[in-house]
Amino acid sequence: DIKTAVSGKMDMNPITTVLHATLQIITVGIGSPLGREVAPREASAGITTFLVKHFDIKQEDRQLLIACAAGAGLAAVYNSPLSAAIFTLETLLLTWNVRAMSAALLCCGLATFVTRQAGVGDVIQYTMAQPSLGSHYVEFSIVLGAIIAVGVVLFNITQSKLPAIHRSSPVMIPISIVAFTLIGALSMYFPEILGNGKAGNELTFTNDITWTYALGLFGSKWVAVLLALAAGAYGGRITPSMMLGSTLGIVFGTVWAIAIAPVSLGMSAFVGAVVFLGLAQKMPMTSCVFMLELSRFSVEMLFPIALTMGTALMVEQIIQLKLNSAK
């Protein structure tokens, strides 16, 4: 675990970690509904953990290097140096001092530069036209934040205790067979649930699907992720969270357009993806910059994103306080 390694509680075995990362890439490539972004972060952190052992480095410097290596892995894969640096500071180091910020920016920038020079190039993950903001998006963004917050809380509750059985148990073998058979059956009707979720996002950001199909994608992706986790599969939650948010945004945007006022469904899907990701992965700052780097959309999108994210954070906090007081 990267956070455990950064805290200094336990080292990451480089061989085991690289094999673990490779297995994640293979499983996502053959249809696992989880994300691929954990693999490069784990591999980078595992290799760095091994390297720093051979140098006389203080514990705080060691933790900084491992965290920056994990962020650099994310930057290299998604061509997102700035958001990867923010991710390092926001989720791993939990500090914004000049020393940590400089190291994170330098490592993520170098990782992106090397990847581009190695022949991959300046890849844009989502190459589509920016959706229009439309009209009445201010009030819509605020209400959308509350809807996303409720969705994230429910999603976290359903997946928090999975897998319920230890992965080393022989019982996990038949569970895995049944779980991935069910995922395969779902994919016959909603093929975009296979893989990390980029295919679904490309449909929602461009508003190329109906709200009924978006609702089906939302439910089937949710179930597919739960089945994969129940089967003990490893993988990231970044792109799956984005897909859940974008499909929920399409559905709610359609309801809003029918009941209240017209709204851009492409904008609704994009903002929904940003906010669901930020809340579900506890990285609101990272998700705002990350999505703009992946799409190269204008910073004009930051206005509805800020409104929705701010509302969602407050509503989520209120719900969590009520749930904790009820226990």
Side-chain angles (χ1 to χ4, degrees):
D1 181 77
I2 297 172
K3 290 186 177 181
T4 305
V6 171
S7 66
K9 296 178 181 178
M10 184 181 295
D11 287 337
M12 300 176 72
N13 183 289
I15 297 177
T16 303
T17 302
V18 171
L19 290 174
H20 187 256
T22 303
L23 179 62
Q24 291 181 53
I25 295 171
I26 293 172
T27 54
V28 172
I30 60 177
S32 175
L34 302 178
R36 60 186 175 94
E37 74 283 346
V38 173
R41 289 193 280 123
E42 284 188 351
S44 301
I47 294 171
T48 303
T49 303
F50 171 75
L51 292 176
V52 296
K53 286 182 179 181
H54 297 81
F55 297 90
D56 185 16
I57 301 176
K58 294 188 295 185
Q59 179 66 15
E60 59 178 332
D61 293 334
R62 179 179 178 276
Q63 294 171 350
L64 178 61
L65 286 170
I66 295 172
C68 288
L74 180 66
V77 169
Y78 281 104
N79 192 28
S80 56
L82 182 56
S83 57
I86 297 173
F87 167 82
T88 304
L89 299 167
E90 185 178 30
T91 66
L92 296 177
L93 294 173
L94 305 179
T95 181
W96 294 86
N97 62 56
V98 174
R99 180 170 172 273
M101 194 179 302
S102 301
L105 288 168
L106 181 62
C107 289
C108 294
L110 284 173
T112 305
F113 174 77
V114 171
T115 304
R116 291 182 182 182
Q117 296 303 310
V120 176
D122 185 13
V123 177
I124 302 176
Q125 297 292 328
Y126 294 100
T127 55
M128 71 272 294
Q130 176 176 320
S132 63
L133 293 183
S135 56
H136 306 287
Y137 68 88
V138 174
E139 55 269 39
F140 170 76
S141 298
I142 294 172
V143 180
L144 177 62
I147 299 298
I148 294 292
V150 174
V152 169
V153 170
L154 292 175
F155 178 68
N156 287 337
I157 290 174
T158 56
Q159 59 93 35
S160 60
K161 295 183 179 180
L162 296 176
I165 302 173
H166 197 277
R167 290 181 173 89
S168 62
S169 172
V171 179
M172 291 299 284
I173 296 175
I175 290 177
S176 299
I177 294 173
V178 172
F180 278 94
T181 299
L182 292 174
I183 292 172
L186 282 173
S187 71
M188 296 171 64
Y189 301 95
F190 302 100
E192 292 82 7
I193 66 172
L194 297 179
N196 60 0
K198 182 181 178 181
N201 290 333
E202 289 177 334
L203 292 176
T204 55
F205 293 168
T206 54
N207 189 24
D208 282 340
I209 55 176
T210 64
W211 73 269
T212 53
Y213 191 77
L215 182 61
L217 275 180
F218 175 74
S220 57
K221 184 67 174 181
W222 188 317
V223 171
V225 169
L226 295 183
L227 286 171
L229 294 176
Y234 285 97
R237 317 285 169 82
I238 287 183
T239 317
S241 296
M242 288 161 52
M243 182 174 169
L244 289 173
S246 68
T247 50
L248 181 57
I250 283 277
V251 173
F252 180 68
T254 302
V255 174
W256 180 278
I258 295 173
I260 300 177
V263 66
S264 169
L265 296 182
M267 181 276 294
S268 176
F270 185 80
V271 174
V274 175
V275 177
F276 202 105
L277 169 62
L279 264 64
Q281 301 305 307
K282 298 182 177 11
M283 53 181 200
M285 294 293 293
T286 301
S287 67
C288 296
V289 181
F290 183 65
M291 290 298 294
L292 291 183
E293 280 191 303
L294 294 190
S295 62
R296 305 289 172 88
F297 288 168
S298 167
V299 292
E300 176 188 32
M301 296 297 294
L302 285 175
F303 185 37
I305 288 173
L307 291 173
T308 310
M309 185 71 78
T311 304
L313 287 168
M314 289 189 291
V315 173
E316 183 195 32
Q317 185 69 19
I318 293 171
I319 295 174
Q320 290 293 354
L321 288 174
K322 290 186 177 295
L323 290 176
N324 293 335
S325 62
K327 290 182 180 179

